[in-house]
Amino acid sequence: MPVKVQNGLPARAVLEKENIFLMDENRAVTQDIRPLRILILNLMPLKEDTETQLLRALSNTPLQLELELMRMSSHESTHTSSTHLNTFYKTFSQVALLHYDGMIITGAPVEKLEFEQVDYWDELCMIMDWSTTHVTSVIHICWGAQAGLYHHYGISKYELPAKLSGIYTQRVLDRLVPLVRGFDDVFPAPHSRYTGNRREDILNCSELLLLAESEEAGPFLAMNRNGSQIFIMGHPEYDRETLRQEYVRDMERGLNPQIPCRYFEDDDPKKPVKLSWRVHANTLYTNWLNYYVYQRTPYEFVEIL
């Protein structure tokens, strides 16, 4: 699929080496087609890594996508250069009058804080409210999912006894929902978080459907009944080495982390990682784009620029 990205975005070079077709702005203007416009609100500290992961996950569809990146104006990022942010990212004030076919709100390493203690919480709430009238369907990832469930449905998160990190088996609960079409009965997915949501809180909300869960890791995938709000409690977009990098980082910080569950071969950090979750991750994003974005957004939902 041709994914239109800004000229010079570093993720482009990485993905082109993987034979993923990315289209720059110069080539895109020569094509008479209305691409799906996808907005990514990137709350992760290592923004370039997250850009690459999400672009890879979105690349397995014949639909043409035009991606835009957004950051919080009320928070200063210290792990990504100001040059990168100023070149490739927009703020909410720059997109507030626009409409998008789809949106992704990423996770963020602020789980141990109460939502209201996060310095950009008010701005995030404003963006989530705006998304209900300006975006056809929104995916929320990890802490972003917890934030969305709390803001839209009043569902609280709770702190886990220890960090949940590793590859956990998920079980599909309702195979008739198009979001999990093509999934196996059980499938692996990465998790990396200190907090979670209780399944009973999701099940007790009449507006929500719980679509997949893990006996060990709890709820994994939920959505509202019309598919305009989708919540992923794990990180299916993660690269092969992401959990290793997080484990090494936590070791260097003296946090004495547990070895990520079922991630390293023989649970030995010195051994390779077996990539086992990408097929279902790709299927999840492809189903979202097809059934909840492309087939539901009007052709003239946005002004063609």
Side-chain angles (χ1 to χ4, degrees):
M1 156 197 89
V3 180
K4 176 186 171 185
V5 297
Q6 292 173 269
N7 295 336
L9 187 71
R12 177 184 178 86
V14 176
L15 296 177
E16 283 181 336
K17 290 180 180 178
E18 300 177 17
N19 202 30
I20 292 175
F21 178 31
L22 299 180
M23 180 184 297
D24 63 23
E25 295 168 302
N26 296 330
R27 181 170 180 181
V29 298
T30 68
Q31 296 195 340
D32 184 16
I33 191 172
R34 202 290 242 178
L36 296 177
R37 298 185 65 188
I38 307 297
L39 181 66
I40 299 176
L41 175 56
N42 192 350
L43 304 176
M44 294 292 278
L46 302 178
K47 298 192 185 307
E48 294 184 37
D49 290 350
T50 303
E51 294 159 14
T52 303
Q53 293 166 8
L54 289 175
L55 280 168
R56 182 186 292 110
L58 293 169
S59 68
N60 291 276
T61 171
L63 303 170
Q64 185 178 131
L65 306 183
E66 177 181 322
L67 301 183
E68 294 183 20
L69 300 169
M70 184 167 67
R71 61 182 175 87
M72 309 302 290
S73 60
S74 53
H75 175 78
E76 181 179 355
S77 179
T78 59
H79 293 81
T80 303
S81 73
S82 58
T83 300
H84 185 85
L85 294 173
N86 293 333
T87 302
F88 300 112
Y89 279 76
K90 296 181 178 180
T91 59
F92 179 58
S93 64
Q94 295 172 291
V95 306
L97 298 180
L98 303 177
H99 288 78
Y100 292 87
D101 304 295
M103 180 177 180
I104 297 174
I105 300 175
T106 74
V110 293
E111 300 157 89
K112 292 188 176 182
L113 296 175
E114 296 296 328
F115 291 116
E116 292 81 4
Q117 293 178 322
V118 176
D119 60 1
Y120 52 79
W121 178 248
D122 289 342
E123 183 182 7
L124 180 58
C125 289
M126 181 171 58
I127 292 171
M128 289 191 290
D129 287 337
W130 166 86
S131 73
T132 64
T133 56
H134 288 72
V135 183
T136 300
S137 182
V138 182
I139 278 185
H140 309 70
I141 301 174
C142 201
W143 182 84
Q146 296 174 11
L149 288 170
Y150 179 72
H151 179 67
H152 291 299
Y153 302 103
I155 295 177
S156 298
K157 63 182 173 69
Y158 67 98
E159 189 165 345
L160 301 173
K163 183 178 182 180
L164 184 77
S165 176
I167 309 303
Y168 296 89
T169 299
Q170 324 297 317
R171 178 170 59 94
V172 174
L173 301 180
D174 189 343
R175 303 192 59 81
L176 298 180
V177 177
L179 190 61
V180 293
R181 187 165 292 171
F183 275 52
D184 295 322
D185 292 340
V186 295
F187 62 96
H191 287 260
S192 177
R193 49 188 167 85
Y194 290 93
T195 56
N197 295 107
R198 293 184 173 88
R199 73 185 305 271
E200 55 267 27
D201 292 339
I202 296 174
L203 293 174
N204 288 336
C205 180
S206 61
E207 299 177 63
L208 295 174
L209 299 172
L210 181 60
L211 302 180
E213 66 178 350
S214 165
E215 291 185 7
E216 297 173 280
F220 172 74
L221 181 64
M223 73 177 203
N224 65 358
R225 292 189 177 272
N226 66 8
S228 63
Q229 302 284 340
I230 293 169
F231 307 94
I232 304 172
M233 288 62 163
H235 281 287
E237 79 286 354
Y238 266 12
D239 288 337
R240 179 194 302 269
E241 296 295 322
T242 306
L243 288 177
R244 183 199 298 274
Q245 293 163 359
E246 293 183 355
Y247 173 73
V248 171
R249 178 202 63 198
D250 289 349
M251 288 286 288
E252 292 174 346
R253 291 177 178 175
L255 299 179
N256 193 29
Q258 296 180 4
I259 296 173
C261 180
R262 288 184 291 277
Y263 176 63
F264 297 109
E265 185 177 329
D266 299 325
D267 290 329
D268 184 349
K270 296 180 181 179
K271 292 188 176 182
V273 174
K274 292 184 177 180
L275 185 62
S276 61
W277 61 89
R278 185 164 291 171
V279 170
H280 283 87
N282 290 343
T283 302
L284 175 59
Y285 281 98
T286 299
N287 286 348
W288 173 62
L289 288 170
N290 184 23
Y291 299 115
Y292 299 93
V293 180
Y294 174 68
Q295 295 193 27
R296 300 194 180 191
T297 191
Y299 182 82
E300 297 188 6
F301 185 72
V302 298
E303 179 184 0
I304 302 176
L305 302 178

